[in-house]
Amino acid sequence: MIRNVVGSVLALAGATAAVWSPFRAWYDGRHGSDYPIGELFTGITGDGTGVLGSILLPFALAAVVTLVGVVLRSRLLVAAAGVIVLGFTVLWMVRVGQAEGSLVVSGDGRGLGDGVANAFGGGVLLLLGALVMSGRPRHHRLERSAPPPAHPTHDDAPPAGEPYGTGETYRAAGDPYDTETRSMPYAAPGRFDVPVEPPRPHDGRDERP
């Protein structure tokens, strides 16, 4: 969260510097807003232009991309805005160098002005803001565990050849009614020992030969 805030501040500061730079002197006191955008591709001349048709146009586009990137917390969009600013600044320097023969820096207002420094600084701040930002958090989906079966499966079925309710499986599980008791539905649970032959009365005679 803190990284996104710091990165957003850097990105917005860079976009502001880039948009403000065309209103400053770029070369020999000539403002950047006086350079037509088309001359960056065909060659620099002495012709002027309006503000909307100047080098301000790509910088304004970069500022819009920066705002969208900050709102969406997209590092890619913020970095793209920085590349746009630096790319057009370098392209302007190449065209001016071709037209003037060389680029000079002088403290008396001749040569490169502070507008170029603002543009470069804005592009660097945009790239730095993209590096500092952590981006949008990634949510990892957790796989849901399978719900318990509503009906008994094959694993819960008794062994093959053994009907439900009989066999050692259910007696081992603590079934109070075993197979023999189930055959007597109205008898109390348990086993009954029935004598095979009743005892004979004793008449006092010795049965031994």
Side-chain angles (χ1 to χ4, degrees), residues 55-148:
I55 198 176
L56 174 65
L57 183 62
F59 290 168
L61 176 62
V64 174
V65 174
T66 302
L67 290 176
V68 176
V70 169
V71 172
L72 299 180
R73 289 181 290 181
S74 173
R75 302 174 62 186
L76 182 61
L77 290 178
V78 176
V83 171
I84 292 174
V85 173
L86 291 178
F88 276 92
T89 303
V90 172
L91 180 60
W92 173 88
M93 293 180 66
V94 171
R95 291 303 185 185
V96 171
Q98 293 175 349
E100 299 290 338
S102 64
L103 293 177
V104 296
V105 180
S106 176
D108 57 356
R110 299 184 58 84
L112 295 175
D114 56 352
V116 180
N118 289 339
F120 261 111
V124 171
L125 285 178
L126 286 169
L127 293 180
L128 185 59
L131 291 176
V132 173
M133 292 176 63
S134 59
R136 302 180 64 179
R138 298 180 180 180
H139 300 282
H140 300 280
R141 294 183 177 181
L142 299 178
E143 297 182 359
R144 297 181 179 179
S145 59

Side-chain angles (χ1 to χ4, degrees), residues 37-57:
I37 185 66
E39 291 186 356
L40 299 182
F41 303 96
T42 59
I44 300 297
T45 63
D47 299 335
T49 184
V51 176
L52 295 181
S54 67
I55 198 176
L56 174 65
L57 183 62

